[in-house]
Amino acid sequence: MYYFQWVLRLAVVLLTVHCTLFAFSENYPYRSDYLWLTVPDHADWLYKTGEKAKVEVTFCKYGIPQNVEVSYEIGPDMLPAMAKGQVMLKNGRTVIDMGTMKEPGFLNMKMKAAVDGKTYEHHVKVGFSPERLKPYTKNPVDFDAFWEKNLEEARKTPLTVNCQKVDKYTTDDFDCYLLKLRTDRRHSIYGYLTMPKKAGKYPVVLCPPGAGIKTIKEPMRNTYYAKNGFIRLEMEIHGLNPEMTDEQFREISDAFSGENGYLENGLDHRDNYYMKHVYVACVRAIDYLCSLPNWDGRNVFVQGGSQGGALSLITAGLDSRVTACAANHPALSDMAGYAEAGRTGGYPHFVRENRMLTPEKILTLQYYDVVNFARRIQCPVYMTWGYNDNVCPPTTSYIVWNLITAPKESLITPINEHWTTSDTNYGQMLWLKQQMK
């Protein structure tokens, strides 16, 4: 009976372990014999500033609690530890006092247990008055003029489109096309367009990509959009043809400075930053979608996660034609936050590069940070994020959320790291469907 009670508890709280020796890890190992349970004493994992957070910790093998020594360290979200300790689990469990925070934010507790010659890691984050979090990033007075000028300049170049039907991705329900869009004088982007075969008028959805030097590898992964009556454009941002060979892709990607080196490219001046043409390309993609004869003339949606979540919010802030936005754990949010001692910043975590947060680069980031687009969003927003995320930390997701004054809904999943479930993703499509006019 004792065993089955704990198995049931494992299923209910859905908390897990990382079972590797490496520092950067996930709490969810695949079919691991070892599992952690970490249960904060507030069900929503949230506290008021000044309240103490206590977490019950259990370490299990085969679902059976183990008496092992656990070392832990506690510190602010994405920042160095402020406290460390060790504790021996009794009857496989203990309660650890994480302390409190005087200012709004998140505390992260990292844990390790050495068993059978391996080290198993886990972490859990709890929040303190996160609804009061505010950005470090300033709002430039000429922000709107800057982007109006860049969009006007880009639109001097006709939006030329190379469109080819892709039979291998076309089904009885929808057609699939590979597009190459010329978005400004120098740049193009590729995308897969899926649209219902049945004649009619449909809403359009732009889906920008997550971070990285990559092409579109899985154009069929979200075909439920087309099956539910959406025209969907899944785009990339680097001008990389998804039909190229792996060898061609490696040759091109090697020319970039690291997997995410483009996020540093040209950061010394707002006019030279790499992401300028990316933000413009998102609006130009909307230009294209709104030119389609089978667009319903009303509904324009954006949806994405991580960098794609950032670009979705950015597009919604830049383009008043967007009628609803669904975004997961947005990257590129309060990126310069680390410039202030004791403050958490957002992905790509420029603090890891000492040369990155210079005054010039901080000024540039003001024109590209999600927080300043979030201030300008007027359409409904559906946003989801998890607390255990170490890529796009909950601190910066809350900062963005707190700035949005448009109608908004959230799905907060405390246990989640940098991922969403297929149910959550499908739920976003259903939410967009509810926003149709």
Side-chain angles (χ1 to χ4, degrees):
M1 179 64 70
Y2 181 76
Y3 170 78
F4 288 107
Q5 287 175 340
W6 277 99
V7 171
L8 178 61
R9 190 174 183 188
L10 284 170
V12 173
V13 293
L14 297 175
L15 296 174
T16 56
V17 65
H18 166 76
C19 63
T20 180
L21 296 173
F22 297 101
F24 297 102
S25 57
E26 290 188 352
N27 282 346
Y28 279 83
Y30 180 66
R31 295 185 178 180
S32 173
D33 291 334
Y34 298 90
L35 293 171
W36 296 82
L37 291 166
T38 48
V39 184
D41 61 346
H42 282 197
D44 60 1
W45 301 27
L46 294 180
Y47 302 79
K48 299 296 184 184
T49 50
E51 286 185 309
K52 284 191 174 183
K54 295 183 179 180
V55 177
E56 182 179 313
V57 177
T58 302
F59 183 78
C60 300
K61 182 177 183 179
Y62 309 134
I64 302 172
Q66 303 291 299
N67 293 330
V68 299
E69 184 178 73
V70 172
S71 61
Y72 62 89
E73 56 181 45
I74 301 169
D77 195 8
M78 306 302 295
L79 297 173
M82 306 290 288
K84 298 182 180 182
Q86 295 85 33
V87 63
M88 178 64 70
L89 303 190
K90 185 177 181 180
N91 296 323
R93 69 183 77 173
T94 192
V95 174
I96 298 177
D97 187 343
M98 288 184 63
T100 189
M101 299 184 77
K102 295 181 180 179
E103 298 294 332
F106 279 79
L107 279 180
N108 185 26
M109 180 166 65
K110 302 177 184 178
M111 293 156 284
K112 294 182 181 180
V115 182
D116 299 334
K118 293 184 178 180
T119 299
Y120 297 88
E121 299 181 5
H122 189 76
H123 79 110
V124 60
K125 297 184 187 182
V126 296
F128 295 85
S129 302
E131 72 281 357
R132 292 167 41 205
L133 282 164
K134 296 180 180 179
Y136 169 86
T137 303
K138 293 182 173 60
N139 183 17
V141 294
D142 61 345
F143 181 92
D144 296 308
F146 173 77
W147 284 109
E148 288 169 6
K149 176 184 176 182
N150 280 294
L151 289 172
E152 181 181 352
E153 182 65 29
R155 284 179 170 135
K156 292 178 181 178
T157 300
L159 184 68
T160 57
V161 183
N162 185 330
C163 178
Q164 297 179 345
K165 189 174 183 181
V166 185
D167 290 332
K168 62 182 177 181
Y169 297 141
T170 292
T171 73
D172 293 339
D173 297 312
F174 58 84
D175 293 318
C176 180
Y177 300 89
L178 175 62
L179 306 181
K180 181 181 180 181
L181 305 180
R182 170 69 70 178
T183 54
D184 62 28
R185 183 173 56 86
R186 296 176 51 204
H187 301 96
S188 297
I189 57 102
Y190 286 85
Y192 282 108
L193 182 74
T194 51
M195 61 173 65
K197 279 184 177 289
K198 185 178 179 180
K201 301 289 187 177
Y202 299 100
V204 293
V205 186
L206 177 68
C207 300
I213 307 300
K214 57 189 177 185
T215 59
I216 304 168
K217 293 297 186 182
E218 301 177 35
M220 298 293 283
R221 64 179 177 171
N222 291 322
T223 56
Y224 49 77
Y225 275 89
K227 292 177 181 178
N228 279 272
F230 292 89
I231 298 171
R232 180 177 186 269
L233 176 60
E234 183 169 351
M235 60 176 280
E236 59 82 49
I237 61 172
H238 303 297
L240 300 178
N241 188 336
E243 299 292 312
M244 72 173 66
T245 66
D246 289 342
E247 181 179 357
Q248 290 171 326
F249 174 72
R250 281 194 299 270
E251 289 178 350
I252 294 173
S253 61
D254 285 347
F256 286 86
S257 177
E259 172 70 7
N260 294 324
Y262 65 94
L263 290 168
E264 301 177 9
N265 192 331
L267 196 52
D268 284 317
H269 196 282
R270 66 180 190 177
D271 292 327
N272 300 328
Y273 189 33
Y274 183 91
M275 295 301 286
K276 182 172 75 171
H277 90 264
V278 174
Y279 294 11
V280 167
C282 289
V283 175
R284 296 290 270 157
I286 297 291
D287 288 348
Y288 167 73
L289 289 170
C290 290
S291 73
L292 294 174
N294 51 346
W295 172 47
D296 66 12
R298 297 182 301 278
N299 297 290
V300 179
F301 303 141
V302 285
Q303 179 272 323
S306 194
Q307 178 184 265
L311 293 174
S312 296
L313 292 163
I314 287 163
T315 306
L318 272 179
D319 196 329
S320 61
R321 291 173 297 180
V322 175
T323 55
C325 171
N328 306 327
H329 42 248
L332 315 182
S333 300
D334 212 27
M335 292 177 279
Y338 290 112
E340 181 179 305
R343 178 185 275 271
T344 301
Y347 182 88
H349 305 292
F350 287 129
V351 71
R352 294 171 183 166
E353 303 288 341
N354 291 332
R355 69 186 186 281
M356 292 309 301
L357 293 180
T358 64
E360 294 80 11
K361 292 174 181 176
I362 290 173
L363 179 60
T364 296
L365 288 173
Q366 293 175 7
Y367 294 88
Y368 292 89
D369 201 289
V370 172
V371 300
N372 284 330
F373 296 92
R375 300 175 194 273
R376 292 163 167 82
I377 294 175
Q378 298 179 17
C379 67
V381 174
Y382 181 73
M383 193 169 139
T384 184
W385 66 97
Y387 293 167
N388 283 340
D389 197 336
N390 279 339
V391 179
C392 300
T395 299
T396 57
S397 288
Y398 261 105
I399 286 172
V400 170
W401 174 256
N402 293 342
L403 287 170
I404 296 171
T405 57
K408 57 185 180 180
E409 299 177 43
S410 66
L411 172 62
I412 300 175
T413 55
I415 198 171
N416 283 31
E417 297 168 273
H418 197 61
W419 48 265
T420 54
T421 66
S422 56
D423 286 342
T424 294
N425 297 336
Y426 190 80
Q428 290 182 333
M429 182 275 295
L430 294 177
W431 181 84
L432 289 173
K433 208 168 187 178
Q434 294 172 356
Q435 308 311 307
M436 289 179 58
K437 301 176 181 178

